[in-house]
Amino acid sequence: MASPNQPKRKERPCDACVSVRCRWYSSGSARSRKSPGVQTRVIRTNNGTGVEEYDDLDGPSLLKKTLGLQNKHHSQYVGSTRGLEPALLGKLSATGRAEVQLSNCTLRRVSSSEAFLLLPDPGTQGYEDELDDLDAIEAIIRPHGKALVDLYFRIVFPSFPVVHKEVYLEKYARSYREFSPPLLAAVYLLALYYWTYDDTLSNFTKPDVEKLEKLARKALGDTIHRPKLSTVQAGLLLLQHTDTDSAELTAQLVSVGYGLGLHLDSSEWNIPIWEKGLRKRLGWALYMQDKWNSLGSGRPALINPSNWALQPVTNNDFPENADHEDDQEGSTEVEKGRILFSRMINLSEILADLLETVFTVKTSREIAAAGAANGLAIILEKVKPVQLKLREWFSNLPECLSMESTLVMKLNSVGYLRLAYVATEIALHRRIILALTSSTDPQLYHICRSSAQERFMFAMDFVQSLKPQHLASFWYFASPQNFALISVFGTLLLSTASNPEEADFYRTKLREYRWTLKINSENGARYMKPAMALLDANLSLLTENNASQSWVVNKIADLPRTENGSRIGANSTGTASTDTFVFPNASLSASSGLASPGQYSFDSSACYPGQRPVGSPTTFLPEDQDFSYEIGNNRSMWSF
């Protein structure tokens, strides 16, 4: 045995793990070795003593036998091509042992065919800063930590359940020092949005959000080197706070998720039941993040369906149900949040189909090779199955997810789900509109344009129908980009208008939409600000690029003014200018590579009950929207 004073050896590959970078420590077992000079991270028990891992806690604890949320160890999934041979796991199972000690790490079997390596946290990048980071985070919000945690579980958690409430509160009751620093900070950050929803907190000065976010991002960068479920939780929650660098962070989280086995079905694993449900919810939340980030950034999605084994979520996968409803003013309905989250997963799967159908490089090449005349036919044929799935998804929405289903003094996050549906429709229609050319059959051209216009009008009606309890609730990270897609789509329709009357119509509607965004953003709906800025930017591009079409380009005197008093689309020299607001999703402009989709088929009354398009000119919006167009002998292939 090595001497206690022997210097720590340099990092070297673990003999048994080959490709795994394990750490070499002075003495003791691999599950309890300490690194000299590193702060001791222990779990403090009620009697003042402490242990390093949850398995050693006296008394009951949800965290005993946890795989993904250990205190001083992190896990790595042993894949089929790794240095360890999975076929040997069968021999290990004959011993009856769940854990097998290797050189400087532990192999833990979770089933007869799947295992994880358990690696110590000490020695990984930034580990020595972890307790200092936790103390600094808590110092920023002290003495309001408990009140902020309560706010988070009242308002955010029901609509985005990526943590386990009982597990979180068990740890918090002992000490904030048990948490991963970025997760602790992320929960505080999201709760701070609702500072005034607590009568006591509203009497105090709000903590420094910018300083807290800076600490959270630094700590997240460190924890990625010792990834746990809390790493993915923290990353996803931070992305709900701000979408800064969302594409890059999403890529990191997807990689971490694969390493944690979040793409696998854990229903038969030897782990706590609550962790099985958490893994499923967290895996699907990561899936949604990947797909909606792909739509917003124009980058390919990273999660491949051929390597995705998660089963659909069920009621048993959620830690709370209707029996846990909070009666406090300004709370979110738990049962509605569970249903909303489940339906958002389903919609994300449809979006994934759309992205894989018409937005891949392969499909773009196929359409280009087919030429202008046949390219549209290819697109219409490919999006038809997606159209049918969207129709079925919408028709199966429960009544509790209607826009009209609101309770007095309750917040309602259904707006982000309905907006996501609108964005998916618009993405589909936008792709078709961009495929229309002067050689397109006139009747088909009219059908596609009329259907697209109806989708745009429904989108506007939806935004105008939002109530205060919608606007003040939790909004999914993709909401700013989805609001922006509506304005981008309207600008695209304006830029391709075929006559002055149609151009005037879209110009008027875009002005109305900008006004709605403006008044809502100034009254707290901060997520609408990027959409307004992007609308201004696209109108500016339109002013520059289509000067030859007098009915498309708005007269400078008619352009709305930005906050600084300048006209949208022109500066003092008559050239284009934009709002000073910095929008992260500039790639959504109509001329970008994210040329989105288009086509869909709902009867007007089926989309938003009780809402009809207002002010629609009958010259280019027929009342009967059950369109079909015959090519060859297949009349019903494309219906709108």
Side-chain angles (χ1 to χ4, degrees):
M1 181 177 294
S3 168
N5 297 321
Q6 178 181 342
K8 185 174 66 175
R9 300 185 185 181
K10 294 182 178 180
E11 182 180 291
R12 66 178 183 81
C14 175
D15 297 336
C17 305
V18 184
S19 62
V20 180
R21 306 293 294 183
C22 292
R23 308 285 171 169
W24 190 262
Y25 297 98
S26 57
S27 62
S29 69
R31 295 297 298 275
S32 63
R33 289 168 180 156
K34 299 178 182 179
S35 177
V38 175
Q39 299 183 66
T40 301
R41 179 187 174 115
V42 297
I43 305 163
R44 296 294 180 186
T45 57
N46 293 332
N47 60 9
T49 62
V51 295
E52 291 188 346
E53 279 303 349
Y54 293 105
D55 289 355
D56 300 322
L57 276 176
D58 292 331
S61 171
L62 287 169
L63 286 150
K64 288 186 176 181
K65 304 303 180 184
T66 179
L67 172 67
L69 287 176
Q70 295 196 39
N71 186 49
K72 293 189 68 173
H73 295 82
H74 57 282
S75 60
Q76 291 184 7
Y77 174 63
V78 179
S80 58
T81 60
R82 200 156 186 170
L84 285 172
E85 176 50 62
L88 298 178
L89 293 176
K91 297 180 180 179
L92 294 175
S93 63
T95 67
R97 292 182 296 168
E99 294 186 1
V100 177
Q101 187 64 52
L102 301 179
S103 177
N104 295 296
C105 51
T106 303
L107 185 70
R108 175 171 172 180
R109 293 182 298 107
V110 294
S111 71
S112 60
S113 60
E114 291 163 319
F116 287 78
L117 290 169
L118 300 182
L119 306 168
D121 292 347
T124 57
Q125 178 175 312
Y127 179 77
E128 63 277 6
D129 298 333
E130 211 167 59
L131 292 182
D132 290 338
D133 289 341
L134 285 166
D135 290 341
I137 290 168
E138 194 68 16
I140 293 174
I141 57 86
R142 187 177 289 120
H144 310 302
K146 182 60 168 63
L148 288 173
V149 169
D150 291 342
L151 269 180
Y152 170 82
F153 283 107
R154 271 178 51 199
I155 298 176
V156 179
F157 169 75
S159 300
F160 195 61
V162 297
V163 300
H164 192 284
K165 183 175 181 179
E166 291 183 42
V167 169
Y168 194 97
L169 294 181
E170 177 193 322
K171 295 173 70 172
Y172 199 83
R174 283 191 295 263
S175 173
Y176 65 85
R177 281 187 157 203
E178 286 189 34
F179 289 97
S180 166
L183 177 58
L184 182 69
V187 166
Y188 288 153
L189 282 168
L190 290 180
L192 283 169
Y193 284 131
Y194 305 98
W195 181 262
T196 58
Y197 281 68
D198 184 287
D199 292 338
T200 301
L201 290 178
S202 59
N203 295 321
F204 294 91
T205 301
K206 193 174 182 179
D208 189 335
V209 173
E210 184 176 346
K211 185 177 180 181
L212 186 60
E213 182 185 348
K214 184 177 180 180
L215 263 173
R217 288 190 170 275
K218 177 265 180 189
L220 181 62
D222 288 340
T223 61
I224 282 179
H225 297 279
R226 47 185 176 279
K228 305 177 186 181
L229 297 184
S230 56
T231 305
V232 180
Q233 291 170 325
L236 290 174
L237 291 179
L238 281 174
L239 285 167
Q240 310 311 308
H241 168 70
T242 172
D243 66 352
T244 303
D245 302 325
S246 61
E248 289 73 19
L249 180 51
T250 298
Q252 286 182 300
L253 294 179
V254 169
S255 178
V256 168
Y258 277 129
L260 293 171
L262 291 179
H263 59 300
L264 302 173
D265 179 10
S266 64
S267 58
E268 301 300 323
W269 288 6
N270 183 25
I271 59 176
I273 294 177
W274 65 262
E275 186 172 341
K276 296 177 183 180
L278 175 60
R279 281 178 168 272
K280 189 186 289 187
R281 297 195 313 275
L282 194 54
W284 280 117
L286 191 60
Y287 180 94
M288 294 192 298
Q289 176 69 38
D290 178 52
K291 304 311 174 185
W292 290 100
N293 177 75
S294 176
L295 178 67
S297 67
R299 304 182 184 187
L302 302 174
I303 292 177
N304 191 316
S306 62
N307 283 310
W308 193 254
L310 280 189
Q311 298 298 311
V313 293
T314 66
N315 290 352
N316 294 331
D317 296 317
F318 291 83
E320 288 192 309
N321 53 43
D323 296 333
H324 294 81
E325 293 289 353
D326 196 317
D327 294 331
Q328 291 189 67
E329 174 183 324
S331 300
T332 301
E333 297 173 68
V334 171
E335 181 68 9
K336 182 178 290 187
R338 177 188 63 78
I339 299 173
L340 188 156
F341 185 77
S342 302
R343 298 291 175 156
M344 187 66 176
I345 292 173
N346 301 147
L347 182 60
S348 301
E349 292 181 281
I350 298 175
L351 174 64
D353 287 344
L354 179 62
L355 295 172
E356 287 296 319
T357 298
V358 293
F359 290 110
T360 63
V361 174
K362 180 180 178 181
T363 300
S364 298
R365 288 177 176 174
E366 179 185 353
I367 293 171
N374 297 322
L376 178 61
I378 291 175
I379 293 174
L380 293 175
E381 183 176 7
K382 285 182 177 293
V383 301
K384 182 64 176 180
V386 180
Q387 174 192 14
L388 296 176
K389 289 179 181 179
L390 272 173
R391 175 184 294 176
E392 182 181 8
W393 181 90
F394 191 90
S395 64
N396 291 332
L397 281 180
E399 179 61 29
C400 68
L401 295 184
S402 70
M403 295 298 293
E404 293 75 25
S405 179
T406 57
L407 296 180
V408 177
M409 296 189 296
K410 286 282 189 177
L411 296 179
N412 190 336
S413 289
V414 73
Y416 89 66
L417 178 70
R418 291 301 189 103
L419 175 62
Y421 166 74
V422 167
T424 306
E425 278 199 316
I426 282 179
L428 193 151
H429 279 282
R430 186 179 171 196
R431 186 67 184 90
I432 290 180
I433 291 298
L434 287 166
L436 299 178
T437 68
S438 58
S439 62
T440 301
D441 181 277
Q443 184 180 357
L444 182 57
Y445 184 94
H446 173 74
I447 290 173
C448 293
R449 293 283 303 183
S450 297
S451 183
Q453 189 206 42
E454 183 180 273
R455 296 307 104 202
F456 176 65
M457 290 305 301
F458 276 126
M460 285 200 54
D461 286 341
F462 159 74
V463 177
Q464 293 170 355
S465 72
L466 292 172
K467 301 175 183 177
Q469 52 264 56
H470 298 130
L471 295 170
S473 68
F474 168 77
W475 284 80
Y476 189 53
F477 93 99
S479 297
Q481 72 187 34
N482 291 342
F483 279 115
L485 279 174
I486 298 174
S487 62
V488 172
F489 188 51
T491 310
L492 175 63
L493 292 172
L494 170 60
S495 69
T496 54
S498 57
N499 57 68
E501 291 76 20
E502 186 180 7
D504 286 341
F505 170 77
Y506 286 119
R507 196 158 48 240
T508 299
K509 292 304 173 185
L510 286 172
R511 289 167 62 91
E512 292 176 4
Y513 184 59
R514 188 183 190 280
W515 169 249
T516 301
L517 296 175
K518 179 181 175 63
I519 58 175
N520 285 338
S521 63
E522 291 182 351
N523 283 281
R526 65 191 184 284
Y527 42 84
M528 291 191 180
K529 188 76 171 180
M532 185 169 63
L534 199 55
L535 172 57
D536 295 350
N538 275 278
L539 288 176
S540 297
L541 291 175
L542 192 59
T543 302
E544 284 192 345
N545 298 334
N546 296 288
S548 60
Q549 292 181 268
S550 58
W551 63 83
V552 173
V553 182
N554 211 344
K555 295 179 181 179
I556 297 298
D558 294 334
L559 290 171
R561 294 182 182 272
T562 62
E563 280 68 11
N564 61 12
S566 62
R567 304 285 186 182
I568 298 175
N571 56 26
S572 58
T573 62
T575 58
S577 65
T578 65
D579 219 332
T580 56
F581 183 82
V582 178
F583 47 90
N585 293 316
S587 58
L588 291 173
S589 62
S591 59
S592 76
L594 181 70
S596 258
Q599 146 176 353
Y600 197 55
S601 126
F602 273 149
D603 177 73
S604 305
S605 60
C607 288
Y608 299 104
Q611 295 183 16
R612 301 288 299 182
V614 292
S616 305
T618 57
T619 54
F620 46 92
L621 178 58
E623 291 186 9
D624 183 6
Q625 292 298 299
D626 186 18
F627 299 121
S628 62
Y629 184 75
E630 182 175 3
I631 294 183
N633 296 320
N634 190 351
R635 175 174 176 78
S636 61
M637 179 175 290
W638 303 291
S639 60
F640 299 87

